[in-house]
Amino acid sequence: MKLNIQSYHIFPLGDAAMTIDYGNIIEESINREVIKRAKQLKNNLAAVSEIIPAYSSLTIFFDLLKIKKLAPANTLAFDYLKEQVDQLLQQPLDEENNEERLMKIPVCYEEGFSKDLDQTASSKNISREEVVSLHYSKIYRVYMLGFLPGFSYMGVVSDSIAMPRKSHPQHVASGSVGIAGRQTGIYPMATPGGWQIIGRTPLKLFEANAHEPSLFKAGDSVQFYPISKPDFYEIQNSSLSAEGDRG
Amino acid sequence: MNLRIIKGGVLDTVQDMGRTGWQHQGINPGGAMDKLSAQVANILVGNDRNEAVIEIHFPASSFFFEQPTLISLCGADFSASINGDEVPLLHPILVSKYSILQFHESVAGARVYLAVHGGLNLSKWLNSYSTNIKAAAGGHQGRALQKDDEIGFRLSKDFCPFINKQEFIVLPWKAGNTWTGENPGEIFVLPGNEWAWLTEESKEKINDQLFVITIQSDRMGYQLSGDPLSVTNSEEVVSSGVNFGTIQILPDGQLIVLMADHQTTGGYPKIGHVISAHHHALAQMKPGNTIHFRITDLQTAEELFLKQEQHLLQLQNACAFRLDTFIKI
């Protein structure tokens, strides 16, 4: 299949970074392109320190001093790098080598782990059980990581359980599963947060000393499955990892 | 062979130039807030510019040196003393065994950097010494320093012969001041992607009005207070990468400037970015200080950055020469 080259615009994010923006939109095909392009650019650009893929954009951080040395005199580092980026983005990418994984994540939706579930159910005029089954009956995509170490932005949840963020952040326990708009995500550590909490996973999503500290990466598919409280504690104690390869 | 904390401070952490390459996992770069001062501190003691330093806030920790060494202090003036005698910023200082470094008063600036010759004997996490408190990793045990912590020196020279019986010796060369005080003049800003969203009146206000740094300001970001600004577009922005110095406009029209421990991504409109060459000045400002922004362009930003780099290179060469000559005596 031939891929269309997506339209984008590039803007400076300060003097040592630039963002390639594919539009203010959450869409799977664009996100897939973003993740592939991140890899392509990382492998083909000199003096780039890192690239953050987000929903529909890529941010390139570069070493301003090194780029200035590479660039012809009187050329802005931004213009010099942008030209190379434009060239690379004109090259079509092959469809193959899709490394997207399916991660199965146990979630306990029971009381004590789901402080905003009742509120969600009543404001959506459905039962607790319906919120829960709507949440786990869909496979989600990890669009990006951000906010906190290992925090995954997944989507999109059914409109029937989409909920606005809280107006004030509240304390959230590690492993809490939340909803914000049509996004869902898991807090990898205890923190103040504004998402509506409907469950909790016993899995550790972030282990600082692991080779890859974050369990998830952008592009993963995630399937939640409901577990009981005893199961929650059993999994927590046996420190099982997700049914996916962490390497 | 240790540096011992004999009194805890409010927030003293090990930092370097930051952790690059992990933002795609949500791990923020962190690093020293005032990277210029941290680099100068390292240069003065003959270290690599990216060596681990201790970033000290006020009220500060007190440090006990179990071994003679060469140190330097750069950044804020917290009225430092060794064994009760005042010591200056921006000089290499030989410190004798069993000396105590203390900080007495917040005179000017927000954070001071302590560099030790040869660096600190710590392990890197994801290729950086910077402390990431959220991830509880990096630096010294992934947290701020506490009373009774001990950090080893990675000492490579024996300074005993130079010190003799003196308690400390301030070496007679000095780096130029790295910061411009709490009124650094104008902080230069590049327009952000959503700059055009601001009303004409608000654009003028960015240049003309003073913004006060509020008490809700820390290593993550500075929340500013001023006449609220307005945008003509209320579209929600899908989260994307942000940067040290990124200025976002909040729904209430106030601004927030992202600093070293900023989140990797954000969804508020980005109206501007403080230029790299002015990050250090911003990093030495504290709650209550006022910021005067000035919109500039990429060319100016790059020129000022290159000038700063040249200054650091010259300083590095000069200090290496002085230090080598001194140690060979």
Side-chain angles (χ1 to χ4, degrees):
Chain A
M1 195 183 91
K2 233 182 99 186
L3 264 182
N4 292 325
I5 307 290
Q6 305 267 5
S7 67
Y8 59 85
H9 97 279
I10 300 185
F11 60 85
L13 192 80
D15 49 31
M18 64 172 66
T19 295
I20 305 159
D21 184 9
Y22 287 92
N24 193 18
I25 186 168
I26 300 180
E27 200 193 287
E28 195 170 324
S29 64
I30 289 180
N31 185 246
R32 188 161 280 142
E33 173 86 359
V34 158
I35 292 168
K36 283 185 183 174
R37 292 293 178 185
K39 209 171 281 174
Q40 180 208 14
L41 295 176
K42 188 85 189 77
N43 291 337
N44 290 287
L45 291 172
V48 161
S49 55
E50 64 181 314
I51 297 181
I52 315 183
Y55 278 112
S56 58
S57 68
L58 283 161
T59 296
I60 302 177
F61 292 82
F62 55 87
D63 184 322
L64 181 50
L65 195 63
K66 283 188 191 155
I67 298 275
K68 285 303 281 184
K69 282 179 184 160
L70 292 170
N74 302 319
T75 306
L76 289 174
F78 174 78
D79 291 339
Y80 173 77
L81 191 59
K82 181 178 179 294
E83 198 185 312
Q84 296 184 40
V85 168
D86 278 327
Q87 279 174 15
L88 286 165
L89 294 182
Q90 293 316 309
Q91 296 173 9
L93 293 177
D94 2 303
E95 265 285 35
E96 35 114 29
N97 129 45
N98 233 336
E99 293 172 8
E100 296 175 7
R101 313 170 292 181
L102 176 65
M103 315 281 281
K104 293 180 178 166
I105 305 296
V107 176
C108 180
Y109 295 93
E110 291 177 21
E111 256 170 75
F113 292 154
S114 51
K115 62 179 179 178
D116 304 315
L117 186 51
D118 283 332
Q119 170 66 32
T120 304
S122 66
S123 68
K124 301 307 266 188
N125 273 319
I126 51 176
S127 67
R128 275 177 73 100
E129 292 68 29
E130 281 171 301
V131 174
V132 169
S133 76
L134 280 168
H135 186 255
Y136 72 69
S137 60
K138 205 173 164 190
I139 291 177
Y140 299 107
R141 173 181 182 81
V142 175
Y143 280 90
M144 59 181 276
L145 278 82
F147 170 45
L148 284 173
F151 187 93
S152 50
Y153 289 84
M154 305 176 206
V156 292
V157 302
S158 154
D159 235 346
S160 317
I161 57 170
M163 284 288 285
R165 278 188 181 81
K166 296 173 190 172
S167 51
H168 294 287
Q170 291 173 355
H171 177 79
V172 173
S174 171
S176 293
V177 178
I179 291 177
R182 294 196 64 182
Q183 307 169 103
T184 183
I186 312 176
Y187 287 87
M189 51 205 64
T191 180
W195 291 31
Q196 309 285 346
I197 303 306
I198 60 160
R200 196 184 300 175
T201 180
L203 298 183
K204 277 190 83 121
L205 302 192
F206 187 83
E207 290 183 77
N209 293 318
H211 176 60
E212 288 285 334
S214 172
L215 178 63
F216 296 121
K217 61 181 188 199
D220 284 342
S221 295
V222 173
Q223 184 164 32
F224 297 114
Y225 64 95
I227 55 168
S228 66
K229 263 188 195 171
D231 288 347
F232 178 95
Y233 291 116
E234 200 188 312
I235 296 173
Q236 195 173 47
N237 292 334
S238 63
S239 70
L240 279 175
S241 204
E243 296 169 36
D245 186 357
R246 191 144 199 178
Chain B
M1 282 290 282
N2 283 322
L3 178 65
R4 198 141 56 82
I5 313 299
I6 53 173
K7 190 197 111 198
V10 61
L11 179 63
D12 300 338
T13 54
V14 174
Q15 301 291 346
D16 57 13
M17 292 303 102
R19 182 171 285 111
T20 53
W22 293 91
Q23 292 199 71
H24 65 286
Q25 291 205 351
I27 300 168
N28 68 304
M33 289 277 276
D34 174 356
K35 294 191 174 63
L36 184 61
S37 292
Q39 292 181 84
V40 171
N42 272 323
I43 287 171
L44 284 167
V45 296
N47 286 351
D48 192 90
R49 277 156 60 176
N50 190 29
E51 191 53 71
V53 294
I54 300 179
E55 180 180 272
I56 298 163
H57 290 86
F58 196 86
S61 302
S62 298
F63 300 88
F64 181 71
F65 294 88
E66 295 183 343
Q67 195 73 21
T69 186
L70 180 69
I71 67 163
S72 74
L73 294 166
C74 288
D77 180 359
F78 290 163
S79 170
S81 75
I82 292 177
N83 301 332
D85 289 332
E86 201 178 309
V87 288
L89 295 168
L90 301 163
H91 280 270
I93 304 170
L94 278 168
V95 179
S96 65
K97 197 175 179 177
Y98 303 146
S99 291
I100 295 176
L101 169 68
Q102 288 170 295
F103 299 89
H104 303 277
E105 192 191 345
S106 176
V107 179
R111 30 196 69 93
V112 65
Y113 295 85
L114 167 64
V116 178
H117 173 79
L120 303 170
N121 194 17
L122 298 165
S123 342
K124 288 184 174 181
W125 176 57
L126 305 179
N127 208 29
S128 163
Y129 292 114
S130 292
T131 309
N132 188 318
I133 293 179
K134 276 254 162 71
H140 179 73
Q141 301 182 8
R143 58 163 172 78
L145 300 179
Q146 295 170 359
K147 185 173 184 290
D148 297 331
D149 280 348
E150 289 189 26
I151 301 178
F153 298 148
R154 214 178 270 144
L155 211 56
S156 58
K157 284 189 185 72
D158 178 11
F159 290 102
C160 292
F162 303 105
I163 285 247
N164 293 320
K165 290 192 172 64
Q166 296 183 67
E167 298 200 344
F168 64 88
I169 304 171
V170 177
L171 299 186
W173 59 93
K174 186 183 183 196
N177 211 345
T178 49
W179 65 287
T180 37
E182 285 167 27
N183 298 301
E186 291 167 345
I187 297 285
F188 284 13
V189 170
L190 294 165
N193 194 45
E194 283 81 46
W195 167 257
W197 290 19
L198 290 168
T199 61
E200 288 310 309
E201 196 195 350
S202 291
K203 285 179 189 167
E204 277 170 30
K205 277 186 187 165
I206 297 278
N207 269 322
D208 297 342
Q209 115 169 330
L210 295 176
F211 294 88
V212 181
I213 300 175
T214 69
I215 198 82
Q216 282 85 38
S217 298
D218 54 21
R219 278 186 45 93
M220 283 182 73
Y222 290 178
Q223 289 202 34
L224 309 183
S225 119
D227 248 5
L229 306 177
S230 1
V231 288
T232 51
N233 188 340
S234 57
E235 209 180 322
E236 278 219 21
V237 186
V238 169
S239 281
S240 64
V242 291
N243 205 348
F244 193 132
T246 295
I247 305 173
Q248 296 175 311
I249 182 164
L250 303 176
D252 64 0
Q254 298 294 341
L255 302 180
I256 181 165
V257 191
L258 303 182
M259 302 298 284
D261 278 343
H262 65 83
Q263 296 177 188
T264 54
T265 53
Y268 293 121
K270 300 171 283 285
I271 60 139
H273 307 273
V274 173
I275 66 169
S276 296
H278 285 177
H279 286 178
H280 71 288
L282 195 61
Q284 289 298 351
M285 298 176 81
K286 52 190 183 188
N289 292 158
T290 50
I291 304 184
H292 191 179
F293 290 125
R294 172 70 56 204
I295 295 297
T296 188
D297 56 26
L298 272 173
Q299 190 171 340
T300 311
E302 289 187 356
E303 278 165 10
L304 291 174
F305 174 79
L306 292 179
K307 228 166 111 183
Q308 208 171 70
E309 277 295 314
Q310 267 163 14
H311 164 78
L312 282 172
L313 270 182
Q314 281 164 4
L315 184 70
Q316 202 167 8
N317 291 334
C319 285
F321 177 75
R322 296 295 298 260
L323 201 58
D324 278 356
T325 319
F326 175 81
I327 284 171
K328 275 186 204 127
I329 295 169

